[in-house]
Amino acid sequence: MGQVTVRVGGYSHPVSCEDGQEAHLVALAAEVDRRVSSVRTMGGSYGEPRLLLLASLLLADEVHDLKVELAQARAGMLPPAAPTDPRLAERLARVAERIEGIASDLGKG
């Protein structure tokens, strides 16, 4: 089992992952950190749990939008200009599932 330490919101967090997934996990944490930074730029003074909650909600909103687009793509309901590559749709589905898993893990911590 792999182990990495990621930085989110200025705090270090040790996280376990499958061997070989360390770089991927670091990249995902960097995306969460970008969301935390965007919440901070909105103003207000938030503690770490609130920042992570708001960042998770931003990510969950994006996942929701991706799921809607994926469902529309599978149903053939996308506008003509939208990509309909089935490989892209499957990749988006996998990314959405990974994001949901990470958001769920963050909620447990």
Side-chain angles (χ1 to χ4, degrees):
M1 171 115 343
Q3 177 95 14
V4 294
T5 298
V6 298
R7 288 192 57 84
V8 175
Y11 296 93
S12 294
H13 302 274
V15 183
S16 297
C17 61
E18 293 180 19
D19 287 333
Q21 293 296 310
E22 294 86 356
H24 180 66
L25 184 57
V26 168
L28 293 172
E31 183 62 32
V32 173
D33 190 51
R34 282 190 286 279
R35 302 306 169 111
V36 166
S37 294
S38 73
V39 170
R40 280 195 172 129
T41 63
M42 293 178 198
S45 178
Y46 304 111
E48 182 186 20
R50 181 85 173 161
L51 281 171
L52 291 174
L53 169 67
L54 294 172
S56 297
L57 290 172
L58 288 171
L59 287 166
D61 183 50
E62 187 173 325
V63 167
H64 174 266
D65 291 347
L66 289 170
K67 283 183 169 185
V68 169
E69 286 181 33
L70 178 61
Q72 290 174 342
R74 287 182 173 160
M77 297 172 44
L78 286 177
T84 57
D85 181 352
R87 292 175 295 171
L88 177 60
E90 290 301 318
R91 184 156 189 241
L92 287 173
R94 287 193 308 273
V95 169
E97 288 172 8
R98 285 182 179 172
I99 291 171
E100 284 182 329
I102 291 167
S104 175
D105 288 346
L106 286 173
K108 294 176 187 175

